Amino acid sequence: VHSENGKPVFVTGIFRDITAQTDKEQALIASEHKYKTLFENASNLIQMVNPDGQILYVNQAWRDTFGYSQEEVANLSIFDVICTDCQEHCQTVFQQVLSDPQLHHIATSFSAKDGRKILIEGTAICTYEQGKPLFTQCIFNDITERTRLQEELTKAQRLESLGYLAGGIAHDFNNLLTAVLGNLSLARIYAEPGSLLADYLDKTEKAAIRGKGLTKQLLTFARGGAPVKKALSIAELLVEATSFILKGSKSHCSYAFTNDLWQVEGDEGQLIQVAQNLVINASQAMPDGGTISISAINQRLKKGEISSLPAGCFVKIVFHDQGCGIPPEHLSQVFDPYFSSKKDGTGLGLAISYSIISKHGGAIQAASEEGQGTTITIFLPASARKPNPHDNQDKKKPTITSQKELKILIMDDDRTVRDIITAMLTALHCQVEESTNGHEAITAFVRAREANSPFDCVLMDLVIPDGMGGKETIAAMLAIDPSIRVIAVSGYANDPIMANHRAFGFSGILPKPFSFDELQQVLAQVCGPNPKK
């Protein structure tokens, strides 16, 4: 205010206390920063999306999972990251979220920047202003690995259940085939060589042997199928197993192995079976021919790198074909028993391969793209042992030479099997006595010793339902006579005892079904001039 002469006299002013307002603004800024930090550091995948689908905000976990930068996200619509096969479903769900204020459960799949399919699960809700949708808020979890592990567990449980069933079927079928092959072997002795009858017998025997191969495949993933492991050169095994299998076909194999490739710890026969299964499948996928690439490298796995494997040293083996590929809807089923896309396929090849590799402590994976071929990747534990050069040397088949008449005890609960073994042993001029279980066998064994006429050998079935089996019976016999020679006979050809029979006191093994020649050979090995204990 000024005086009459224009000089200022005093000042007036109006003040407003804005302390509370400033405090509120500062609190709002702090709250915004706090929650933004919370969202950015959350392990969940958080996103906010406009009603038109434009992405407003995503957190760091979202960007890391899908591989986009902050700048790239600004130009993305939510439908740019939803997988093609989920677009229609997600459009419907998105409209439901916009129109219904309730919390919605979401389960779908997004596509990462590099093309990887990411399975997500979570919730979504819409925020409104004056009844109109402003944006949707979604909190997701990446469940890709969890889903894969659940599928692996389900597959393993399914294989285990089928393994029990397959083992029982194979055991009973092997008993039947033992009688068939045995009778065929005996019939051939009396058939004139080159005659029509001999020809029919040969063809029938070949068919029975194919049945034997089928039961062997069933037993590979049945209970007790423990591999007999030794140190192996996997490069040599792969070339040997696959180089001849494609003769006569339009396809061929190419090989690429690192020079210092580690040895693997494995069952040679089972791993050859895997390699041949994969090459045959690859060849069948290329009816016009092509190249099957087989490679192997050393790989040190970190913990969690392959979820089913521990950290350590492995050999990574890759089979790749140039075939038609596997449809996406079938890819998850390729290792399932009896699943096959081929009209004449058994659906056992990949299931058996999966079982063999799993029992070796390894992992097998399939990847495919229609029209681009299929890739099967195998990881096998590396071996610290060196291969034994004597393991692969050819061994001469022994034959029974002239000697005293052998006295042999048979223990088997199946009458048909006992009859055919007795007939074959009688043809070999053996003296035979039969028993149906362990108690009968031990009684006969003791009685013969007391009569000073002991058995030279015992042929002993390992599995006696509702009776004393081979494992318990041989322990009792060895306690009486540690020098007794016992041959383990079993329709469970992959029984752990068959894989390591000497550790249980057996002198030899005879997997069912067996022919006259195979019986003769094992007897010569165990009871010949230089009998093996």
Side-chain angles (χ1 to χ4, degrees):
V1 176
H2 296 78
S3 62
E4 292 180 356
N5 58 11
K7 292 182 179 181
V9 178
F10 57 88
V11 177
T12 61
I14 299 174
F15 297 95
R16 186 170 66 247
D17 185 357
I18 60 171
T19 304
Q21 181 179 339
T22 302
D23 288 345
K24 287 180 181 179
E25 289 175 352
Q26 291 297 325
L28 184 61
I29 293 171
S31 176
E32 182 181 352
H33 176 75
K34 179 174 67 174
Y35 285 107
K36 185 174 182 180
T37 301
L38 176 65
F39 289 157
E40 280 295 299
N41 294 328
S43 59
N44 303 94
L45 315 183
I46 300 174
Q47 67 182 38
M48 296 171 64
V49 179
N50 268 337
D52 62 0
Q54 189 68 26
I55 296 177
L56 288 174
Y57 166 78
V58 296
N59 69 341
Q60 186 67 48
W62 193 103
R63 297 193 295 272
D64 290 343
T65 299
F66 299 111
Y68 289 100
S69 66
Q70 185 77 51
E71 293 75 19
E72 290 171 320
V73 171
N75 299 314
L76 283 178
S77 164
I78 191 62
F79 298 105
D80 292 332
V81 294
I82 294 173
C83 286
T84 305
D85 56 349
C86 297
Q87 287 278 342
E88 186 175 344
H89 168 73
C90 287
Q91 284 276 11
T92 302
V93 173
F94 188 65
Q95 293 303 319
Q96 289 175 350
V97 174
L98 290 174
S99 60
D100 186 347
Q102 295 184 14
L103 194 67
H104 295 260
H105 179 265
I106 305 291
T108 187
S109 55
F110 281 8
S111 181
K113 184 179 177 181
D114 59 7
R116 289 178 298 113
K117 187 175 184 179
I118 309 292
L119 303 180
I120 61 165
E121 183 180 63
T123 57
I125 196 169
C126 185
T127 297
Y128 299 88
E129 186 176 79
Q130 295 180 353
K132 292 183 178 180
L134 283 181
F135 53 82
T136 62
Q137 303 168 74
C138 309
I139 300 178
F140 295 135
N141 287 307
D142 178 357
I143 61 168
T144 308
E145 184 64 12
R146 188 183 79 188
T147 302
R148 194 191 67 77
L149 289 174
Q150 288 174 339
E151 290 173 352
E152 287 289 328
L153 177 60
T154 301
K155 185 183 297 179
Q157 291 172 337
R158 186 163 59 244
L159 281 172
E160 183 179 8
S161 298
L162 282 171
Y164 280 99
L165 176 63
I169 292 173
H171 174 266
D172 293 342
F173 193 49
N174 276 339
N175 278 344
L176 295 174
L177 283 177
T178 298
V180 172
L181 279 173
N183 281 298
L184 287 170
S185 298
L186 291 175
R188 289 179 65 189
I189 296 174
Y190 302 101
E192 188 71 26
S195 67
L196 185 61
L197 175 60
D199 182 53
Y200 283 142
L201 290 173
D202 286 341
K203 290 177 179 177
T204 306
E205 186 175 48
K206 288 177 182 178
I209 290 172
R210 284 199 296 272
K212 177 181 178 179
L214 179 59
T215 59
K216 184 178 180 181
Q217 290 185 63
L218 287 171
L219 285 163
T220 301
F221 63 84
R223 58 181 177 178
V228 183
K229 297 179 182 179
K230 62 182 179 182
L232 296 171
S233 169
I234 194 63
E236 293 177 8
L237 182 145
L238 289 170
V239 173
E240 180 184 345
T242 60
S243 57
F244 75 92
I245 202 75
L246 296 178
K247 285 184 178 179
S249 76
K250 298 177 183 179
S251 302
H252 68 279
C253 293
S254 68
Y255 305 95
F257 305 124
T258 187
N259 290 330
D260 58 347
L261 193 63
W262 294 326
Q263 311 290 339
V264 301
E265 196 79 10
D267 184 306
E268 184 175 18
Q270 290 188 5
L271 294 181
I272 286 175
Q273 186 178 1
V274 170
Q276 291 179 345
N277 282 344
L278 297 181
V279 167
I280 290 171
N281 279 357
S283 179
Q284 291 174 343
M286 301 185 295
D288 297 325
T291 300
I292 302 167
S293 303
I294 304 175
S295 62
I297 61 171
N298 301 328
Q299 185 154 342
R300 287 183 171 86
L301 293 180
K302 299 177 182 178
K303 185 178 180 181
E305 190 171 350
I306 302 294
S307 58
S308 60
L309 298 179
C313 295
F314 289 81
V315 174
K316 179 182 178 181
I317 307 164
V318 178
F319 292 76
H320 177 73
D321 65 54
Q322 300 171 320
C324 55
I326 302 170
E329 65 270 19
H330 292 165
L331 191 58
S332 64
Q333 300 173 274
V334 294
F335 295 116
D336 291 351
Y338 302 109
F339 174 80
S340 176
S341 58
K342 300 185 289 287
K343 290 182 179 179
D344 57 349
T346 63
L348 285 175
L350 286 177
I352 288 168
S353 299
Y354 179 93
S355 180
I356 288 174
I357 297 303
S358 296
K359 288 176 182 176
H360 276 74
I364 181 170
Q365 303 167 339
S368 185
E369 187 175 341
E370 287 189 277
Q372 301 297 318
T374 299
T375 300
I376 303 293
T377 304
I378 294 172
F379 293 88
L380 285 173
S383 173
R385 293 189 293 171
K386 297 292 183 183
N388 185 346
H390 301 293
D391 283 340
N392 297 320
Q393 290 182 352
D394 292 334
K395 297 179 176 64
K396 292 183 178 179
K397 294 180 179 180
T399 56
I400 292 180
T401 58
S402 59
Q403 57 180 11
K404 70 169 188 173
E405 181 184 86
L406 292 175
K407 184 178 181 181
I408 297 178
L409 174 63
I410 301 170
M411 186 188 93
D412 199 295
D413 64 306
D414 192 300
R415 176 62 182 271
T416 304
V417 174
R418 293 198 307 273
D419 287 347
I420 192 59
I421 295 178
T422 298
M424 288 192 286
L425 290 174
T426 301
L428 289 171
H429 309 292
C430 298
Q431 180 184 344
V432 184
E433 187 170 336
E434 300 178 11
S435 60
T436 62
N437 57 52
H439 294 293
E440 289 183 13
I442 292 170
T443 300
F445 176 72
V446 172
R447 184 172 60 242
R449 280 178 53 82
E450 291 175 347
N452 202 27
S453 179
F455 292 101
D456 297 292
C457 183
V458 181
L459 292 177
M460 186 179 293
D461 191 13
L462 294 179
V463 180
I464 305 290
D466 302 320
M468 188 175 181
K471 184 178 178 180
E472 298 82 4
T473 305
I474 191 175
M477 287 184 176
L478 288 172
I480 299 169
D481 181 4
S483 67
I484 185 65
R485 295 188 289 273
V486 184
I487 298 172
V489 183
S490 180
Y492 291 108
N494 285 17
D495 189 290
I497 293 178
M498 301 292 276
N500 192 21
H501 64 280
R502 294 194 183 280
F504 294 89
F506 291 96
S507 305
I509 60 171
L510 190 58
K512 296 176 184 176
F514 50 85
S515 65
F516 183 84
D517 289 341
E518 290 169 329
L519 174 62
Q520 186 178 19
Q521 287 162 19
V522 75
L523 280 176
Q525 182 186 27
V526 173
C527 303
N530 298 303
K532 294 186 179 181
K533 179 66 185 80

